[in-house]
């Protein structure tokens, strides 16, 4: 069971990072993202870690879901909102807000 939870945690982390990177590419000019890849890459890795940690703390990866219900959707929205809020505040406090926020 611990192995399955680790896979779910890795999945959440990778998908969180991929979601931010895709959002940046869609929102900004792809050439701009590629020319500033170290900065955006670091933000992507940090966001993925935040998503993974928030999901772990809230118990989102306790098992693999076969069927999802409305309470599961609420839990996912709650976890995503907390992860984004933590990332935005941390990014703002680090002085990097004008680019990513």
């Amino acid at each position: 069971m611990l192995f399955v939870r680790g896979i779910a945690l890795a999945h959440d982390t990778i998908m969180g990072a991929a979601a931010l990177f895709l959002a940046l590419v869609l929102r900004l000019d792809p050439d701009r993202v590629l020319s500033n890849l170290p900065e955006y890459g670091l933000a992507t890795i940090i966001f993925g870690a935040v998503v993974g940690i928030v999901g772990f703390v809230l118990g989102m990866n306790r098992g693999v879901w076969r069927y999802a219900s409305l309470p599961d959707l609420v839990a996912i929205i709650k976890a995503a909102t907390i992860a984004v809020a933590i990332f935005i505040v941390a990014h703002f406090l680090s002085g990097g807000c004008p680019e990513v926020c």
Side-chain angles (χ1 to χ4, degrees), residues 1-8 56 61:
M1 189 62 176
L2 187 60
F3 179 70
V4 173
R5 190 167 186 190
I7 290 175
F56 182 78
N61 52 8

Side-chain angles (χ1 to χ4, degrees), residues 15-100:
M15 289 300 115
L20 178 66
F21 189 76
L22 182 61
L24 289 171
V25 169
L26 291 174
R27 169 64 178 92
L28 304 171
D29 182 31
D31 293 330
R32 181 178 176 182
V33 173
L34 292 177
S35 66
N36 296 317
L37 194 58
E39 296 163 3
Y40 291 125
L42 180 61
T44 298
I45 291 169
I46 291 171
F47 184 71
V50 169
V51 169
I53 291 168
V54 169
F56 182 78
V57 169
L58 295 179
M60 298 298 296
N61 52 8
R62 286 195 185 126
V64 178
W65 296 342
R66 181 170 293 166
Y67 304 104
S69 62
L70 192 56
D72 294 328
L73 177 63
V74 171
I76 292 169
I77 292 171
K78 179 180 169 183
T81 302
I82 292 170
V84 169
I86 290 171
F87 177 75
I88 293 293
V89 169
H91 197 66
F92 176 75
L93 292 176
S94 71
C97 196
E99 284 295 318
V100 177

